[in-house]
Amino acid sequence: MRAYCSEPDSFGLENLSMTAKIAKSSGHAAPKSTVATLGVSLGALGVVYGDIGTSPLYALREAAKAAAGGGALSPAAAVAATSAIIWSLVVIVALKYALLILRADNRGEGGIMAMLAILHARAVQPGRSGLILLVAGLVGAALLYGDGAITPAVSVLSAVEGLKTDAPFLAPAVVPITICIIVGLFAAQRFGTAKIGRVFGPVMLLWFLAIALLGIGGIARAPHILVAFDPFIAIDFLRHAPFAVDAALLGAAFLAVTGGEAMYADLGHFGVGPIRLAWFALVLPCLLLNYLGQGALLLDNPSALASPFWKLAPGWAHYPLVAFATCATIIASQSIISGAFSLTRQAIQLGFLPRLRVLHTDAASIGQVYLPFVNTGLAIATITAVVTFGSSDALAGAYGIAVSLLMVITTLLAALIARQWGYALALVLAVNGAFLTIDLGFFVANSVKIFEGGWFPLAIAGGVALLMLTWRRGQQLVAAARACMRQSSDAFRADLKARPPLRPAGVAAFLTPSREGVPLSLSRLYALTGAIPEHIILLSIEILEIPAVAADDHVQLIAEDGYRRMILRYGFTEPVRVPAALDIAVAQGKLDAETVRDLVFYVGREAVIPSRAVLGMAYWREKLFAFMQRNAERPAAYFCIPPGRVIDVGTEIEI
């Protein structure tokens, strides 16, 4: 494993080919042949559908318990629970996500961050109505961290609990075994998953075929369950049941669709075609067969309510199925963890989180990244969930509310994107309004579980959203203070004429976030020493609201009076490698190799000082921002600049 930087003390042209690969691989290119499409679809099974594919372990069990209302399970309740799950999958995942939301892509990239980039959320200023959009989007992104903590806990617990079917005496060992598996899962992240990830798709293919076969066997016991395809059965049941039963049933049925949001989040890795093909050709049919099989089993044997999934299998297959289910849940958990890494990197690039250490675990793919801080945080949160709740039954109360709120936010953002792209208001209201009504219904149903555990993912999401909003606002305050302190180019040149500096030989690059004026590091260097290097490059890094930038467009060089200004452009899914970008500049003739070889980087090291006298943010949030800023990855390290060529210039900034 290595960081995004190549060799730390080299500016060799080998970085040029890597950067070109990055620019080409960041956006997904649609497969050109049927065989290629099938191969990509197979890969999507392990990454996109791992979570939703393991929902049969617990979803129908919880839905049937809810429909029973605490009493004996009636045939009508069993059919209604099955019907509610079937139509939740069809409406939420098949119609909304597969056919509608996948259209809201940012040049092939999906996910909440891609939506915020399309809507230019970074440009939103305090006090404007658009701030609501920004808050909603960041809350939606933060909810994914809550989901990321709950998914491994409930998935692995539900698989290990299969041991209790034939060996009830093993019940006390379920939580310790689950914790050991989760610890091993998170500990393995630092080694990367590129090699074992190649088997995720085939394993999940076998998993879906296996649960489909189990379902067919169950349907043979009570074919009457096929009436669950009639949506009016579930609707009629909900109409006549008490509100408490309705809320519990809808909340439990929603467990079957959690994981569906991965379709959109992983759009950039696989593309629309393979994701839809995998869903409609395999995943949806296999899920429907398994849920129908469990429903049929409950019609034939209501006493199987405690574990309908495991009761579908013959006795001899229980232990192998537990092992198989554990592998499937580990794959589902791995997908969530990798998604959290990718989301964090995008949030950092777009300026919503401080720079964190990002390690690259596979030289052939920019998607294989590892963030130690995020990994540790998720591991602690997941183990806490397992210890606090102790069973998949209890965790089911915590699961769903974060995803249901995320789906509400996704539908709202998709509506805004549709309007931005010119779709008629009436059409947007009709289509997105219908889905929003359904999403809100599920959210309300899940909200009743907030005291049963729903508070847990919401607390995680709230904390992450607070950090994101604080970091963004703090960055705005620092930028404003920096702008007040920064000299204009004309004023700086006037100072140089009035007091000519010493000009020692050499080439220096001064990193600056602004494309205008003189960097604080340069003006401070001149003020403190009376000297500036003979040749100066003002280097700015610009993150665009597109997934990737073509290699030829990474570097823009502007000649100004007395120095050169260089702008490096990147997409929000790309790592920023300054040495590789300079190699591109050499290859394009914008810089000569000797200049790059002798380049020394001056980087501003800012000490943020919270002050009650400066308005703009609550004092406690200013202190929080200052703490985050102190502990962020240093710019030189994050941008892969060799440490032996960096000189820090300190500046105090009061906010």
Side-chain angles (χ1 to χ4, degrees), residues 476-555:
Q476 289 177 332
L477 295 175
V478 168
R482 203 188 282 130
C484 293
M485 300 168 64
R486 186 185 299 119
Q487 277 187 295
S488 68
S489 297
D490 291 340
F492 185 66
R493 280 191 288 267
D495 284 350
L496 296 183
K497 288 181 181 179
R499 187 168 62 99
L502 297 174
R503 301 298 296 265
V507 185
F510 290 82
L511 264 66
T512 172
S514 175
R515 297 177 57 169
E516 298 177 352
V518 177
L520 292 180
S521 53
L522 176 54
S523 58
R524 289 279 293 169
L525 179 68
Y526 169 63
L528 292 171
T529 67
I532 59 174
E534 182 180 9
H535 301 288
I536 293 173
I537 298 174
L538 305 186
L539 188 62
S540 298
I541 295 169
E542 183 177 341
I543 306 299
L544 304 180
E545 291 176 328
I546 58 175
V549 175
D552 292 341
D553 297 330
H554 269 304
V555 181

Side-chain angles (χ1 to χ4, degrees), residues 611-627:
S611 172
R612 298 182 187 274
V614 180
L615 301 179
M617 189 162 60
Y619 182 68
W620 66 270
R621 289 183 65 196
E622 290 178 353
K623 292 181 73 68
L624 174 60
F625 172 77
F627 174 80

Side-chain angles (χ1 to χ4, degrees), residues 22 45 147 150 167 225 229 507 552 646:
I22 290 169
L45 291 179
D147 184 30
I150 292 292
I225 193 62
F229 278 115
V507 185
D552 292 341
V646 176

